């Protein structure tokens, strides 16, 4: 049999594995639509919103689904490559191009009177440094568009993940998920919201210096981790991770003091589920199920307990409980049916969901700015207008995905493929974090996919043909045969 025939056979055998990634795309697309409805229903379909929100906050629920999906797949990418440089290159080219486009579109909308930049015009330098590392919700900068608050928690998760990986302790996901869940309960009522921001408000240009200092610590730590060897690399990764952890504990802009711990608990829960599914050491399925149940119970309790003084209505408590528990159940359902065929349009919606997530607030802001549209209408007319807005959102997202996201992903893979000097962390595997017999379980991460809240992971697009060379566990032949890759979005995953 010729080498070409062998390669083709191997790639074809790999296709069923890749097609199983579609369930992650479907979850991501569904979560994005929940967030779209959450924001759009404040302008249209108010009666429908009033009815549904008696029991469930769809925006919060969608975001929690995003974070579970992101926690499930992002660590696999880092661990499979064993390269911090490859990981950060992937994140840079997958997240930032569309993020910058969204910021520019928001600025244009503001200048033309069809949107808002939420006060950033009063503190442009301060805002730019808050946006620089996608940490606006943890620094003194506005969330523009408003959904970008969840990207702050995505970035914190990445920084913590790299720090843990650099010390070779990244596989204790159950402990981390449990620790953050306990932290949400024990500390959620006493953590100071925006403590550093309040301090900076009393100093001249304090907000600017806070943002610059945080950016310097995080970015400097990343650069040291990329350019140094052994313990300096670990030190750099640790400085960046600890800075992020401090910000998420004492300087959240919104929504609640306990929410940062809840989000990180859910993300590490997603990672734990991945490890159990791929039979990695220390991730037995029975123990994993018990830990996940405990995390969901504790994170639910954290909101019910600490949220009571802030929200006296019984409705909010019901919304919090259903958001957490149904997000866990939704992810579990997706995991249970992951081997079944997913409709192609569901996977495709997940593929463009990062753009959907970032652009939909801009479309709704534009709708709000037109008096002829934003006025009382009958419910059927509201339904038609909402459908029209969704069509515009999907159309714009399709354009930005194929013109911005996908080309930049290809460029990112070219950069990541360029070799650096041997022995450097950026070009190879890091000491104790190196993948070996304790790598990704049974060798390949079959069936793993990509998905990230706020929209940032690789996906098959439902057909199994649009594979990604970045994908965890993808055989070499399948990777070389793949013609393109895609990114998805979300959590923002973020409302």
């Amino acid at each position: 049999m010729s080498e070409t025939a062998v390669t083709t056979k191997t790639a074809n055998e790999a296709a069923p594995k890749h097609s199983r990634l579609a369930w992650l795309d479907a979850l991501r697309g569904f979560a994005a639509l929940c967030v779209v409805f959450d924001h759009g229903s404040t302008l249209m379909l108010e009666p429908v919103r009033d009815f549904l929100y008696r029991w469930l906050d769809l925006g919060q629920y969608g975001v929690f689904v995003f974070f579970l999906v992101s926690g499930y797949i992002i660590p696999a990418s880092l661990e499979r490559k064993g390269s911090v440089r490859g990981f950060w290159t992937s994140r840079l080219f997958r997240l930032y191009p569309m993020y910058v486009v969204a910021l520019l579109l928001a600025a244009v909308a503001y200048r033309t009177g069809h949107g808002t930049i939420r006060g950033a015009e009063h503190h442009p330098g301060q805002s730019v440094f808050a946006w620089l590392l996608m940490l606006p919700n943890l620094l003194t900068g506005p969330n523009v568009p408003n959904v970008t608050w969840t990207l702050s928690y995505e970035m914190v998760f990445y920084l913590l993940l790299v720090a843990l990986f650099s010390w070779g302790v990244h596989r204790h996901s159950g402990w981390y998920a449990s620790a953050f869940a306990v932290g949400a309960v024990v500390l959620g009522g006493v953590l100071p919201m925006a403590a550093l921001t309040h301090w900076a408000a009393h100093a001249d240009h304090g907000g600017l210096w806070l943002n610059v200092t945080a950016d310097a610590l995080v970015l400097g730590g990343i650069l040291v981790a990329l350019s140094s060897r052994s313990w300096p690399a670990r030190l750099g990764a640790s400085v960046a991770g600890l800075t992020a952890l401090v910000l998420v504990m004492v300087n959240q802009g919104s929504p609640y003091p306990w929410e940062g711990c809840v989000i990180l608990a859910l993300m590490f829960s997603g990672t734990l589920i991945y490890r159990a599914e791929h039979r990695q050491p220390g991730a037995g399925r029975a123990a994993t199920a018990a830990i996940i149940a405990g995390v969901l119970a504790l994170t639910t309790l954290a909101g019910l307990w600490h949220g009571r003084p802030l929200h006296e209505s019984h409705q909010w408590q019901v919304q919090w409980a259903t958001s957490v528990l149904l997000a866990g159940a939704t992810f579990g359902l997706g995991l249970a049916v992951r081997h079944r065929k997913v409709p192609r349009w569901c996977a495709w919606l997940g593929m463009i969901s990062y753009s959907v997530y970032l652009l939909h607030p801009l479309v709704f802001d534009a709708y709000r700015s037109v008096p002829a549209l934003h006025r009382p209408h009958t419910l059927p007319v509201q339904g038609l207008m909402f459908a029209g807005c969704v069509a515009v959102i999907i159309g714009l997202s399709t354009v930005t995905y194929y013109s911005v996201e996908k080309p930049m992903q290809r460029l990112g893979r070219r950069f990541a493929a360029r070799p650096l000097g041997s022995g450097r962390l950026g070009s190879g595997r890091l000491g104790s974090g190196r993948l070996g017999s304790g790598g990704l379980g049974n060798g390949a991460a079959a069936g793993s996919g990509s998905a990230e809240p706020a929209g940032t992971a690789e996906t098959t697009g439902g057909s199994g043909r649009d594979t990604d060379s970045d994908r965890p566990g993808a055989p070499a032949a399948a990777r070389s045969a793949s013609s393109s890759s895609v990114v998805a979005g979300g959590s923002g995953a973020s409302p």
Side-chain angles (χ1 to χ4, degrees):
M1 184 180 294
S2 67
E3 181 179 353
T4 301
V6 172
T7 300
T8 302
K9 179 180 179 181
T10 305
N12 290 337
E13 289 173 350
K17 293 181 180 180
H18 290 307
S19 66
R20 288 183 289 180
L21 298 173
W23 72 277
L24 291 170
D25 292 326
L27 284 180
R28 199 166 42 237
F30 170 70
L33 289 182
C34 288
V35 176
V36 169
F37 179 85
D38 179 60
H39 292 129
S41 61
T42 62
L43 304 173
M44 300 159 275
L45 301 177
E46 293 97 331
V48 178
R49 178 187 179 91
D50 291 341
F51 175 76
L52 293 176
Y53 278 63
R54 296 177 186 177
W55 301 284
L56 177 64
D57 184 330
L58 283 172
Q60 189 166 246
Y61 160 73
V63 165
F64 288 161
V65 172
F66 271 131
F67 282 126
L68 282 165
V69 171
S70 189
Y72 177 88
I73 194 56
I74 291 304
S77 176
L78 171 61
E79 294 170 15
R80 182 187 63 81
K81 300 172 188 174
S83 169
V84 173
R85 171 181 174 262
F87 176 78
W88 283 121
T89 300
S90 172
R91 296 306 92 201
L92 175 66
F93 282 89
R94 291 181 184 283
L95 291 175
Y96 272 89
M98 192 59 216
Y99 178 63
V100 172
V101 168
L103 287 173
L104 293 176
L105 290 177
V108 171
Y110 167 73
R111 295 294 294 177
T112 58
H114 295 292
T116 176
I117 52 177
R118 304 169 69 84
E121 65 274 19
H122 303 304
H123 306 281
Q126 184 173 308
S127 299
V128 168
F129 279 103
W131 298 333
L132 181 62
L133 297 181
M134 288 187 172
L135 295 171
N137 202 59
L138 303 178
L139 294 174
T140 59
N143 295 301
V144 179
N146 64 316
V147 295
T148 57
W149 71 269
T150 56
L151 294 181
S152 298
Y153 299 97
E154 285 277 327
M155 184 59 69
V156 169
F157 181 65
Y158 300 160
L159 292 167
L160 290 176
L161 180 65
V162 171
L164 294 171
F165 177 80
S166 70
W167 290 98
V169 294
H170 52 288
R171 294 188 181 88
H172 305 299
S173 304
W175 286 103
Y176 305 134
S178 301
F180 281 113
V182 171
V185 175
V186 176
L187 302 176
V190 298
L191 289 174
M193 289 289 284
L196 298 178
T197 298
H198 293 157
W199 165 80
H202 298 292
D204 291 338
H205 305 293
L208 175 60
W209 285 112
L210 171 61
N211 293 355
V212 170
T213 301
D215 286 350
L217 289 172
V218 172
L219 188 57
I222 292 174
L223 292 177
V224 171
L226 292 177
S227 61
S228 300
R229 301 168 182 258
S230 190
W231 70 265
R234 293 171 183 165
L235 180 60
S238 299
V239 168
L242 288 174
T243 301
L245 185 61
V246 169
L247 291 176
V248 84
M249 288 296 180
V250 301
N251 207 51
Q252 296 181 78
S254 63
Y256 308 112
W258 62 88
E259 187 113 7
C261 286
V262 167
I263 289 170
L264 291 172
L266 292 176
M267 296 185 84
F268 278 109
S269 294
T271 306
L272 178 62
I273 294 172
Y274 174 86
R275 299 193 189 289
E277 183 190 0
H278 294 90
R279 304 182 187 279
Q280 294 185 15
R285 295 194 176 186
T288 295
I291 292 172
I292 298 302
V295 168
L296 292 176
L298 288 172
T299 51
T300 301
L301 174 62
L304 296 180
W305 182 18
H306 301 307
R308 184 171 302 174
L310 303 177
H311 304 274
E312 295 183 359
S313 68
H314 177 66
Q315 181 178 351
W316 184 90
Q317 296 179 22
V318 171
Q319 289 175 343
W320 174 266
T322 54
S323 295
V324 174
L325 298 176
L326 286 181
T330 301
F331 187 84
L333 178 62
L335 187 67
V337 301
R338 64 191 181 281
H339 299 298
R340 298 191 178 186
K341 185 176 180 180
V342 173
R344 182 170 298 184
W345 69 268
C346 291
W348 177 81
L349 182 60
M351 185 177 73
I352 66 169
S353 59
Y354 186 40
S355 285
V356 169
Y357 188 74
L358 289 178
L359 296 181
H360 80 269
L362 305 179
V363 173
F364 288 134
D365 282 346
Y367 171 88
R368 186 185 289 108
S369 70
V370 181
L373 297 176
H374 188 216
R375 60 184 179 82
H377 295 286
T378 63
L379 187 59
V381 173
Q382 290 183 45
L384 290 175
M385 288 189 167
F386 183 82
C389 286
V390 172
V392 170
I393 291 166
I394 292 178
L396 290 175
S397 300
T398 302
V399 171
T400 55
Y401 171 73
Y402 287 105
S403 63
V404 178
E405 291 189 63
K406 195 168 185 176
M408 293 307 293
Q409 293 168 37
R410 290 171 177 162
L411 182 61
R413 285 195 297 277
R414 294 193 189 102
F415 270 91
R418 292 180 179 178
L420 295 180
S422 61
R424 295 163 66 98
L425 171 59
S427 63
R429 321 224 172 228
L430 175 64
S432 59
R434 178 168 183 164
L435 298 181
S437 60
L440 291 180
N442 298 326
S448 65
S450 59
E452 315 177 24
T456 57
E458 306 94 353
T459 170
T460 58
S463 66
R465 293 177 298 173
D466 197 10
T467 57
D468 191 331
S469 60
D470 232 6
R471 183 164 295 111
R479 292 200 300 270
S480 63
S482 66
S483 59
S484 62
S485 76
V486 294
V487 161
S491 154
S494 322

